[in-house]
Amino acid sequence: METLSIVLFLLLAVVLSDSILRIIPWPLPLPLVQIALGVAIGSVTDFGVTLNPELFFLLFLPPLLFLDGWRIPKEGLFKDHMTILELSLGLVIFTVLGMGFFIHWMIPAMPLGVAFALAAVVSPTDPIAVSAIATKVPIPKRLMHILEGESLLNDASGLVCLRFAIAAVLTGTFSAAEAFKTFLWLAIGGIIIGYAVTSVVTSIKAFITRNFGEDAGSQVLLSLLIPFGAYMLAEHFHCSGILAAVAAGVTMSYVEATGQSLATTRVRRTAVWDTVQFAANGAIFVLLGEQFPDLLDRAVDIVEESNHEDTWWLAVYVIAINVGLALMRFLWVWASLKLTIFRAYKRGESLPEQNWRLTVATSLAGVRGAITLAGVLTLPLALNDGTPFPARDLAIFLAAGVIVLSLIGASIGLPRILKGLTLPPEAIHTAAEDSARTMAAEAAIHAIESAQHNMAQNRSDANIYSEVGTRLMEMYRRRIDGSSSESESKELIRQMNRIEKELKLAALRAERNTYFQMARTHQLEDDLMRKLVREIDLLETQYAS
């Protein structure tokens, strides 16, 4: 019963966080609000949430990484693939090595392996927090695509580095050659398993759908199970479950493009996954906040772990780690952009000169979030001999502090850096969109002609089919003509469409009011009334969108 109460409090806090964010006039990131609510819950209640690290990893990471891989724009991912790889792989290794030695030098009481583990969990970035800021401070689309692609891959690379660091602490040994071979097995095996799970499951699903039909509810549930299946199967074969979840998501995006699922399934699936993403990300940050009161209560013990007497040293450590991360990221981003400009110059392309404000913005946008917290909470509770894992509480406190401070720095710094920044114009896809709409309209006309002919054969009411088909084809012909006509013709078509939409909406509202009136006067049963009203609601939503 207590566990159920904790879950309900967490979900309530996640719901309240969104409402609070909409009320607050400042561009605060949503995770910061959720952390504050978690602190409030931890302060006024006696809930003590202690999660098993492996269970925490399994519950939160597979669906989030799967969804990242599923929804990331592939065009932007491939267009800037070299920059993304430099940030997601090169920067992670650079950060783990540099910050690992720096943290161990700053806190000698923290073993080098634990310092590397802490550096590994603070290396991945979180685009969710940046997206929350971007709702009030527009971030260039191309920069957002790079940040999303970086986050998709550096989650995996950072957490794989974490796995090596933990293994070194537990065993007391580390071999670079063995680590390289293990990395190849983890990476290649994880990617193959993730691809295979999604491909096999969706192929079986498509076969069943073609021959026996499709139920939207079961298909949505199946999509929820795929990331967990890929993750667990990869872990069973000692591969990277993280990369398996990412690869499964990327594969899912290509499967979706085949149009296997029904429209109803896609609509429901999108709604369910939006809820899962919002709830999972929110619950992680609320849990982080809930841990803070207990961490502060143990601040004295944590300080003793670092061989100091004053608690303010913890704030010094958090600030120093954030400054170190920002400097390393700035240097790497500056070098990466220089390399990008050089490669473009070698290909004969011309790119604008490097803008220092854009470099700073890219550095500030590298905030830490859900993956950092999930990773640090997976640190083992004990070593192989049963003794407590060294400096575990200190590592969790520092990681939590890095998350909060990076969120605050991004929410304060990004609006000021991006304000008035002139950037190269984004690629405009209007022509491609118009061409696609025209081709779709032409295909629709052919389909209507064929269906009209087949449906009207040997029927006494064939003239009705002919009239309806003609009206529909005329609508699509207007769309084709409107895509290439003068602005006056476009405006006329827009006015006609607007008037038609308004008339349809008025008719739908009249229908719905009639159903309600008939139900109130007992001329229509409630079940039938709800069915008819739902049909009207769906149509109105379609026309009003």
Side-chain angles (χ1 to χ4, degrees):
M1 191 66 180
E2 182 180 358
T3 302
L4 178 60
S5 300
I6 293 173
V7 171
L8 294 177
F9 265 93
L10 291 176
L11 294 178
L12 178 60
V14 173
V15 173
L16 289 176
S17 65
D18 183 66
S19 300
I20 294 173
L21 183 67
R22 296 178 185 275
I23 297 172
I24 295 175
W26 312 290
L28 287 178
L30 179 61
L32 208 56
V33 178
Q34 292 165 342
I35 290 172
L37 287 175
V39 171
I41 292 175
S43 301
V44 301
T45 67
D46 57 353
F47 293 153
V49 181
T50 303
L51 291 176
N52 180 290
E54 293 183 0
L55 179 61
F56 187 87
F57 226 43
L58 176 62
L59 286 178
F60 289 102
L61 288 191
L64 292 177
L65 293 175
F66 176 81
L67 194 59
D68 281 346
W70 188 354
R71 291 184 172 179
I72 187 171
K74 302 302 181 294
E75 180 181 334
L77 182 65
F78 291 122
K79 181 179 180 180
D80 295 300
H81 65 281
M82 288 303 300
T83 301
I84 292 173
L85 286 175
E86 290 163 4
L87 292 173
S88 60
L89 298 178
L91 179 56
V92 166
I93 296 174
F94 182 56
T95 301
V96 171
L97 293 176
M99 291 305 300
F101 285 112
F102 174 73
I103 292 172
H104 179 64
W105 170 82
M106 183 174 60
I107 313 174
M110 178 177 286
L112 184 60
V114 180
F116 280 130
L118 177 57
V121 297
V122 297
S123 61
T125 55
D126 182 22
I128 303 300
V130 181
S131 299
I133 301 173
T135 57
K136 297 186 178 181
V137 182
I139 294 178
K141 289 184 179 180
R142 187 170 182 181
L143 176 57
M144 278 301 300
H145 291 165
I146 291 174
L147 294 172
E148 290 170 347
E150 175 195 5
S151 175
L152 173 66
L153 297 180
N154 71 10
D155 290 346
S157 56
L159 293 175
V160 167
C161 290
L162 170 65
R163 181 170 180 167
F164 288 139
I166 292 176
V169 175
L170 294 177
T171 62
T173 60
F174 178 79
S175 169
E178 188 66 25
F180 180 72
K181 289 190 293 185
T182 304
F183 178 80
L184 289 180
W185 172 249
L186 288 171
I188 298 175
I191 292 173
I192 292 176
I193 289 175
Y195 168 79
V197 168
T198 301
S199 299
V200 171
V201 170
T202 54
S203 296
I204 295 174
K205 177 190 75 70
F207 173 79
I208 295 175
T209 299
R210 284 194 305 269
N211 293 276
F212 305 102
E214 177 175 296
D215 177 71
S218 64
Q219 302 306 315
V220 172
L221 180 58
L222 183 63
S223 72
L224 293 173
L225 294 176
I226 287 176
F228 295 101
Y231 181 91
M232 296 178 69
L233 185 61
E235 290 294 321
H236 176 74
F237 289 103
H238 305 289
C239 299
S240 173
I242 299 161
L243 286 173
V246 172
V250 173
T251 306
M252 189 69 177
S253 68
Y254 288 102
V255 172
E256 186 181 38
T258 63
Q260 292 181 2
S261 301
L262 297 177
T264 302
T265 300
R266 288 194 296 271
V267 171
R268 294 184 183 180
R269 189 172 59 192
T270 299
V272 170
W273 271 104
D274 286 343
T275 304
V276 169
Q277 182 184 37
F278 178 73
N281 273 295
I284 286 177
F285 286 110
V286 173
L287 280 172
L288 168 61
E290 193 275 337
Q291 300 292 312
F292 261 109
D294 185 51
L295 289 173
L296 292 175
D297 289 341
R298 288 183 287 153
V300 175
D301 296 333
I302 294 174
V303 169
E304 289 179 355
E305 288 185 36
S306 58
N307 292 335
H308 290 287
E309 297 180 356
D310 299 316
T311 55
W312 57 267
W313 275 102
L314 296 177
V316 173
Y317 293 153
V318 171
I319 294 173
I321 293 173
N322 268 283
V323 171
L325 289 170
L327 287 176
M328 296 188 74
R329 183 173 177 84
F330 178 85
L331 292 173
W332 190 272
V333 169
W334 180 84
S336 178
L337 290 177
K338 281 289 187 184
L339 185 59
T340 300
I341 294 174
F342 176 75
R343 285 197 300 261
Y345 174 78
K346 295 290 288 184
R347 293 193 301 265
E349 302 175 4
S350 60
L351 289 179
E353 289 296 322
Q354 189 168 355
N355 190 314
W356 71 267
R357 291 174 63 188
L358 183 60
T359 305
V360 173
T362 307
S363 302
L364 282 176
V367 296
R368 275 67 189 176
I371 299 300
T372 293
L373 178 62
V376 76
L377 289 179
T378 60
L379 291 177
L381 299 174
L383 299 176
N384 292 334
D385 59 2
T387 59
F389 192 86
R392 184 178 188 272
D393 289 340
L394 177 59
I396 294 175
F397 182 90
L398 294 178
V402 167
I403 294 171
V404 174
L405 201 58
S406 66
L407 287 169
I408 294 174
S411 61
I412 295 175
L414 276 179
R416 288 162 174 76
I417 293 296
L418 294 174
K419 184 177 181 180
L421 179 61
T422 302
L423 295 170
E426 300 284 348
I428 299 176
H429 302 288
T430 304
E433 180 179 345
D434 289 343
S435 176
R437 289 182 181 277
T438 300
M439 293 177 63
E442 291 173 348
I445 290 174
H446 292 307
I448 292 171
E449 290 176 338
S450 176
Q452 175 184 314
H453 176 74
N454 294 332
M455 296 173 67
Q457 284 183 342
N458 302 321
R459 294 185 63 96
S460 59
D461 56 352
N463 61 316
I464 298 178
Y465 286 88
S466 177
E467 180 182 349
V468 173
T470 301
R471 289 172 58 186
L472 284 174
M473 286 188 288
E474 181 61 27
M475 179 190 69
Y476 282 108
R477 290 191 180 101
R478 290 204 312 269
R479 179 185 297 178
I480 295 172
D481 295 337
S483 65
S484 59
S485 62
E486 298 296 328
S487 59
E488 292 82 7
S489 299
K490 289 185 176 181
E491 180 62 25
L492 177 60
I493 291 174
R494 281 195 291 268
Q495 291 179 2
M496 293 174 62
N497 290 337
R498 177 180 57 80
I499 293 171
E500 183 180 4
K501 180 189 293 186
E502 291 176 357
L503 292 175
K504 287 179 178 177
L505 289 174
L508 290 173
R509 294 184 186 112
E511 287 186 72
R512 184 168 51 209
N513 290 336
T514 300
Y515 294 144
F516 283 139
Q517 177 64 28
M518 294 178 67
R520 286 195 298 267
T521 57
H522 307 290
Q523 301 178 55
L524 197 64
E525 294 182 359
D526 288 346
D527 290 341
L528 183 55
M529 182 271 293
R530 281 192 289 268
K531 175 185 176 181
L532 295 174
V533 168
R534 176 172 172 77
E535 293 176 358
I536 299 300
D537 289 342
L538 290 173
L539 286 172
E540 182 174 348
T541 302
Q542 175 185 351
Y543 291 137
S545 61

